[in-house]
Amino acid sequence: MGRIASLADERERDKRTVERLLGSSRMSDTKWRLALGAVYACGVQIQEMKVKFVDVPEVKRLGSLWFKTPHAFTDSLEYGPFPLVAIEGLEFPRDIDQGRRSNPHCRGKQDIAAIRAALDATGKALPLEDTETGLRIVGHRFSR
C-alpha cells in the first residue's frame, strides 16, 4: 500500500512541476494513453523513440515503452517507470540505428506514415508535428 501511495504522491508532484515549468499542456494522461495505445495497436514495430522530459535538458533515446498502460505512467527498459505528464515531447524517428557496437553503421527505417495514420485514426486532434527526422507528439509548450 505504501508504494501505491508514493506513486500517487510522485505523480502529483510531477504535475505541479509541469504546471510551474510550462505554460500550456497539450497532452493529458488520457491523451497519452490513447496515443500510445493507437501506436501499439497499429502493428508497426517501434524500435526507437526520442523523448524529451520536462525536467531534463537533453533528449533521451528510448527503445520501446510499455504501450498498453492503463495508468498515468509508463515503463521503459532504459529509464524505468515515469509519469506521462513528464513527457515534453515524444518523437518517432524515421531513420533508426539498428546496429550493435560492433556494427554502428547498420541503419533502418520506421514507418512514420503508418504511425501518423494510427494517431489520426483516434479521431482526436493530437498535437503532432512533422520534423526533419520523423514525427513528434508535443506534450507541452513552454510559455515564453
Side-chain angles (χ1 to χ4, degrees):
M1 181 89 163
R3 180 67 179 147
I4 293 172
S6 70
L7 283 175
D9 292 343
E10 286 178 30
R11 181 175 180 281
E12 284 306 311
R13 185 182 63 243
D14 290 335
K15 282 179 68 173
R16 286 191 303 273
T17 299
V18 167
E19 290 167 359
R20 188 180 71 248
L21 293 174
L22 302 174
S24 66
S25 291
R26 310 278 313 274
M27 292 288 282
S28 64
D29 292 338
T30 302
K31 281 186 177 178
W32 274 119
R33 286 192 304 270
L34 176 74
L36 294 174
V39 170
Y40 173 81
C42 80
V44 173
Q45 183 181 2
I46 303 300
Q47 298 177 46
E48 183 180 322
M49 292 172 286
K50 294 180 180 175
V51 64
K52 170 66 178 79
F53 295 107
V54 295
D55 59 344
V56 178
E58 63 275 350
V59 174
K60 301 287 188 177
R61 182 176 178 222
L62 288 173
S64 63
L65 294 173
W66 178 37
F67 282 109
K68 293 181 77 171
T69 178
H71 307 289
F73 56 89
T74 190
D75 201 357
S76 72
L77 292 174
E78 295 86 356
Y79 306 106
F82 57 87
L84 296 171
V85 71
I87 303 171
E88 183 180 321
L90 182 69
E91 184 168 341
F92 300 94
R94 183 176 300 103
D95 297 316
I96 57 170
D97 181 4
Q98 293 179 319
R100 303 285 186 262
R101 292 179 196 264
S102 62
N103 184 6
H105 303 292
C106 184
R107 303 290 297 169
K109 298 224 179 260
Q110 292 189 119
D111 191 348
I112 300 304
I115 294 169
R116 177 179 273 286
L119 293 168
D120 288 343
T122 65
K124 299 290 182 186
L126 298 173
L128 304 177
E129 288 181 354
D130 291 309
T131 68
E132 289 182 20
T133 58
L135 177 66
R136 180 180 301 140
I137 304 172
V138 179
H140 307 284
R141 288 273 188 222
F142 283 101
S143 57
R144 304 222 191 270

